[in-house]
Amino acid sequence: MITVLVVEDEPLVRQEIVQLTDWQSLGCTCIGGASCGKEGIELYNRYRPDIIITDIRMPEVNGLEMIEIISEISAATTGEVKTGFIILSGYSDFEYARRAMRSGVQEYIVKPVDDEELKAAILRIKRRILKQPEIQSPVLPEILPPYESSDKNSPAGRITGKAIELIQSHYIGGITIESAAEKLSLSAGYLSRIFKQETSYTFVDYLTRYRIQQAALLLQDDSVKIYEVADLVGYTDPRYFGQIFKRLTGYTPKEYREYVFHHSN
């Protein structure tokens, strides 16, 4: 069972998430709530939750500081950051949210928290933890098929799996074949050959497709501006982002958003 910790300094928001979310239907157990980042770290050390839902602005230790400390603890004890983070932010917190996303946080929700949006974010992180394939949007063509190897326990399968995890963790701040190879103690040329052999994509093409796949999910939230979506998936130029999005999906970001909301109402 996936365990979840809620860190939120607003008592009513914290209680609503902890007590009213249907955790059983999500295949999760909520181990409780913390009122600040310091308490969140203490509960993390005690319970090692799989998912942490956290506010950004909190007294003593804020959400970003807590995420950084927990990530360091996890990396030091297990060799990797296994906990998935969902950050809750107000509109004025966008710069904080961007920092968090660049640090590897893959889910953020703008307050007030929408129940369905929170459930969707939890399920996406749960699939990553359990290494289940992402559910594709019914609107878009398949941008990036799930990685399937004939033998994921083979050397090539393990290397490719780790490289994909690096892309998923660092796609916002940017990652190159060289930096990935360095982290995996391999030569860039060898990793490039193995990755293309296993996935049929180059490393750069896979990274691009993963970014656009994440952008499609973010575009389904109309509170996030298109230029913010571009920034949150690693593109500093919204115009270039729009060109790549249309090339891979057949839609401009605006057309895709309009299509989604037309078909969901």
Side-chain angles (χ1 to χ4, degrees), residues 98-167:
R98 179 164 57 182
R99 274 181 55 198
M101 300 289 274
R102 289 190 184 282
S103 298
V105 176
Q106 296 178 320
E107 300 289 344
Y108 91 105
I109 296 173
V110 177
K111 291 183 175 180
V113 178
D114 178 81
D115 291 345
E116 293 306 313
E117 189 178 357
L118 178 61
K119 289 177 183 177
I122 291 169
L123 289 174
R124 283 194 295 271
I125 289 189
K126 180 184 172 185
R127 284 195 292 272
R128 293 185 198 117
I129 292 171
L130 299 177
K131 300 190 184 303
Q132 296 172 341
E134 290 282 343
I135 295 176
Q136 296 290 326
S137 165
V139 177
L140 287 176
E142 192 171 50
I143 301 169
L144 186 62
Y147 168 56
E148 294 181 358
S149 171
S150 57
D151 184 4
K152 290 189 177 181
N153 291 319
S154 67
R158 288 197 300 271
I159 288 169
T160 303
K162 289 179 180 178
I164 288 173
E165 288 178 3
L166 286 172
I167 288 174

Side-chain angles (χ1 to χ4, degrees), residues 91-245:
Y91 288 107
S92 61
D93 293 332
F94 179 70
E95 287 302 319
Y96 290 97
R98 179 164 57 182
R99 274 181 55 198
M101 300 289 274
R102 289 190 184 282
S103 298
V105 176
Q106 296 178 320
E107 300 289 344
Y108 91 105
I109 296 173
V110 177
K111 291 183 175 180
V113 178
D114 178 81
D115 291 345
E116 293 306 313
E117 189 178 357
L118 178 61
K119 289 177 183 177
I122 291 169
L123 289 174
R124 283 194 295 271
I125 289 189
K126 180 184 172 185
R127 284 195 292 272
R128 293 185 198 117
I129 292 171
L130 299 177
K131 300 190 184 303
Q132 296 172 341
E134 290 282 343
I135 295 176
Q136 296 290 326
S137 165
V139 177
L140 287 176
E142 192 171 50
I143 301 169
L144 186 62
Y147 168 56
E148 294 181 358
S149 171
S150 57
D151 184 4
K152 290 189 177 181
N153 291 319
S154 67
R158 288 197 300 271
I159 288 169
T160 303
K162 289 179 180 178
I164 288 173
E165 288 178 3
L166 286 172
I167 288 174
Q168 293 173 345
S169 298
H170 299 282
Y171 71 97
I172 300 168
I175 185 168
T176 64
I177 186 76
E178 289 80 13
S179 60
E182 183 178 355
K183 289 178 182 293
L184 297 175
S185 301
L186 300 169
S187 73
Y190 179 71
L191 176 59
S192 179
R193 288 193 298 274
I194 291 295
F195 196 90
K196 180 70 181 291
Q197 173 187 307
E198 286 288 306
T199 68
S200 77
Y201 296 107
T202 66
F203 188 89
V204 171
D205 193 22
Y206 194 100
L207 170 62
T208 299
R209 288 173 176 274
Y210 187 78
R211 281 173 161 165
I212 297 305
Q213 184 182 67
Q214 298 308 302
L217 296 173
L218 289 169
L219 285 166
Q220 294 177 39
D221 179 356
D222 64 352
S223 68
V224 186
K225 296 179 177 62
I226 289 175
Y227 75 85
E228 293 176 339
V229 171
D231 191 75
L232 287 169
V233 298
Y235 290 99
T236 56
D237 183 346
R239 188 174 179 180
Y240 179 66
F241 161 69
Q243 293 171 350
I244 298 296
F245 193 94

